[in-house]
Amino acid sequence: MEAPHSPAAETGDRTAATARTTARVTVDSPERMSELGRRLAALLRPGDLVMLTGELGAGKTTLTRGLGAGLGVRGAVTSPTFVIARVHPSLTSGPPLVHVDAYRLGGGLDEMEDLDLDVSLPDSVVVVEWGEGKVEELSDDRLHVVIDRLVGAVDPLAAQDDRREVTLTGIGGRWSGVDLASLAA
């Protein structure tokens, strides 16, 4: 776990300067990635925007599957690559999960407007895979989750290739005081 810092200088993002919390968590299997999603769900509330960044196969959908389980939503959480967005209603009194895959969308927020995410956001937890550079304008408050593969596997198919470093950065006042470091437990 690393100390909180502001990535403003690294990203050039005008709102990154308001980053309040950054935590890093290492996971070593898809099951642990899903578990991280379940723990993260306990910190989420309606109106939260979660942006997921990572290469193909990094674990974005696996993390979202855990979020869905933690939020108690209906339906199997699968990659919405071909449908762009899926809404998973809550089976409890919690918020619905809106799961978006922006991989095929080339433009910024203008191209995303057809999805009506701004309408869904206040009442839902909106998770956008491949959203970096596309959905930041939806909210000054967001959680940016970056999933990186840890290098070092001799055999790319070996179990150690499942190791990931997950960096969670809470941006904006919503995330001020939220203990993201607790997710490493």
Side-chain angles (χ1 to χ4, degrees):
M1 203 59 53
E2 292 188 11
H5 75 286
S6 173
E10 299 167 21
T11 65
D13 181 10
R14 66 178 169 77
T15 57
T18 63
R20 304 281 196 241
T21 307
T22 296
R24 286 185 176 79
V25 178
T26 301
V27 296
D28 59 7
S29 69
E31 294 77 22
R32 298 268 188 200
M33 184 68 77
S34 186
E35 176 58 32
L36 175 60
R38 282 191 289 281
R39 290 194 318 268
L40 177 56
L43 300 177
L44 297 176
R45 62 184 188 205
D48 281 343
L49 173 63
V50 180
M51 293 174 20
L52 301 180
T53 300
E55 63 188 38
L56 285 170
K60 297 178 297 295
T61 300
T62 301
L63 180 76
T64 306
R65 195 171 293 123
L67 283 172
L71 292 171
V73 299
R74 185 179 73 211
V77 176
T78 59
S79 177
T81 299
F82 298 104
V83 295
I84 310 297
R86 284 196 171 98
V87 177
H88 298 275
S90 177
L91 293 172
T92 65
S93 59
L97 172 66
V98 178
H99 185 197
V100 180
D101 186 328
Y103 184 74
R104 294 177 181 272
L105 304 177
L109 193 58
D110 291 339
E111 193 171 340
M112 300 288 286
E113 280 184 353
D114 289 340
L115 299 177
D116 288 331
L117 295 181
D118 54 338
V119 173
S120 301
L121 189 58
D123 301 318
S124 307
V125 169
V126 176
V127 175
V128 183
E129 296 185 27
W130 305 99
E132 190 171 16
K134 298 176 183 174
V135 297
E136 287 88 344
E137 294 176 25
L138 280 175
S139 177
D140 289 337
D141 298 309
R142 59 191 176 276
L143 181 64
H144 191 181
V145 180
V146 178
I147 304 171
D148 289 308
R149 290 184 181 185
L150 292 176
V151 223
V154 176
D155 177 0
L157 300 177
Q160 64 188 19
D161 191 45
D162 286 338
R163 293 178 49 232
R164 307 286 192 265
E165 181 175 75
V166 182
T167 305
L168 304 106
T169 304
I171 299 169
R174 153 67 178 105
W175 295 98
S176 177
V178 174
D179 184 13
L180 293 175
S182 67
L183 296 171

